[in-house]
Amino acid sequence: KCAVFATSESKNQYQAENVFAIGSRNDKESVAKNLYGLLRKMDDLGIEDIYSESFPKEALGQAIMNRMEKAAAHRIVQV
């Protein structure tokens, strides 16, 4: 089972069964706030693989990407 984390601006562009809006690309605080809850929800749903849009590694984007990389055990696939 897999899921996609997308920004609210691009969520509708994905054709997958489990697509979740992580927040607005223009509001990284909303992304940071929603990230932990979504990760817990993925555990509850039995999601094994998560694909996510990335964020620039500056300011709060650095913290967001750091948390995502840790959750992924540093297994990053760039597409």
Side-chain angles (χ1 to χ4, degrees):
K1 249 179 133 174
C2 69
V4 176
F5 288 177
T7 58
S8 52
E9 293 86 356
S10 62
K11 179 181 182 247
N12 294 330
Q13 295 178 17
Y14 293 92
Q15 296 179 0
E17 183 177 341
N18 298 300
V19 180
F20 298 90
I22 194 168
S24 172
R25 183 164 290 285
N26 299 320
D27 182 6
K28 294 205 181 40
E29 287 184 21
S30 71
V31 173
K33 179 181 171 184
N34 294 327
L35 178 58
Y36 289 96
L38 278 176
L39 289 172
R40 284 192 300 273
K41 184 174 185 170
M42 298 305 102
D43 284 338
D44 293 342
L45 294 174
I47 301 292
E48 296 175 6
D49 296 310
I50 300 169
Y51 297 90
S52 178
E53 295 179 5
S54 63
F55 298 88
K57 288 187 172 183
E58 53 195 39
L60 191 52
Q62 175 70 35
I64 293 166
M65 292 306 298
N66 181 278
R67 181 62 193 111
M68 281 199 223
E69 289 172 8
K70 285 182 180 180
H74 298 281
R75 291 175 297 184
I76 309 300
V77 176
Q78 296 190 20
V79 293

